[in-house]
Amino acid sequence: MLRRILAPIALATFTAALGGAPLAAQHDRQAGAIERTILQSHNVPGTTYKFVEAVTEVGPNGVVPRHTHPGPEIMYVLQGSLTLEVEGAPTRTLTPGQTAYNPPGIPHGGRAGPEGVAFLVTWVVPQGRPLA
């Protein structure tokens, strides 16, 4: 069952990472703008949860306001950089190829670097609940 859940994530990650021009070149991002593109969403069989996968892009020096999610969040930076602030953890800057895990219900936010940031993100959330 785990393989059935993880296979689509791996495929989407590979596709996003190798899918042609860099994400910043595909979208004209304004300074500070945040854009989320949902890639897929599926119910987790035998549970009341769903996983949602998206690419989030934040324009140069853009702020991601503090927020929480009802389930875990996993991030993979595709390009640019993000200074991530998670309550109870040291602030850190993520660059391409680095990952982060944000536990459910824990406030977090951040700031994109001068070149902006694009990251692949996966959430596991209760069905019917908003992402944030």
Side-chain angles (χ1 to χ4, degrees):
M1 180 166 135
L2 184 59
R3 181 176 286 178
R4 288 176 57 197
I5 294 170
L6 294 178
I9 295 171
L11 178 60
T13 301
F14 180 75
T15 302
L18 299 178
L23 291 174
Q26 294 174 14
H27 299 285
D28 182 21
R29 288 183 282 159
Q30 295 179 357
I34 299 174
E35 181 179 332
R36 177 190 295 161
T37 304
I38 302 292
L39 301 175
Q40 61 180 329
S41 176
H42 300 282
N43 291 337
V44 178
T47 75
T48 59
Y49 290 87
K50 67 178 179 176
F51 78 83
V52 179
E53 186 172 57
V55 172
T56 299
E57 297 176 82
V58 182
N61 302 308
V63 173
V64 179
R66 284 175 57 89
H67 61 283
T68 64
H69 301 284
E73 175 184 52
I74 299 170
M75 303 167 51
Y76 175 84
V77 177
L78 298 168
Q79 68 180 63
S81 64
L82 175 71
T83 300
L84 181 64
E85 298 176 357
V86 179
E87 187 172 288
T91 298
R92 63 187 188 131
T93 299
L94 303 171
T95 57
Q98 293 185 308
T99 62
Y101 170 77
N102 295 317
I106 302 298
H108 59 281
R111 178 180 292 277
E115 68 286 352
V117 67
F119 52 92
L120 182 68
V121 60
T122 302
W123 299 274
V124 179
V125 295
Q127 294 173 13
R129 296 274 310 268
L131 294 176

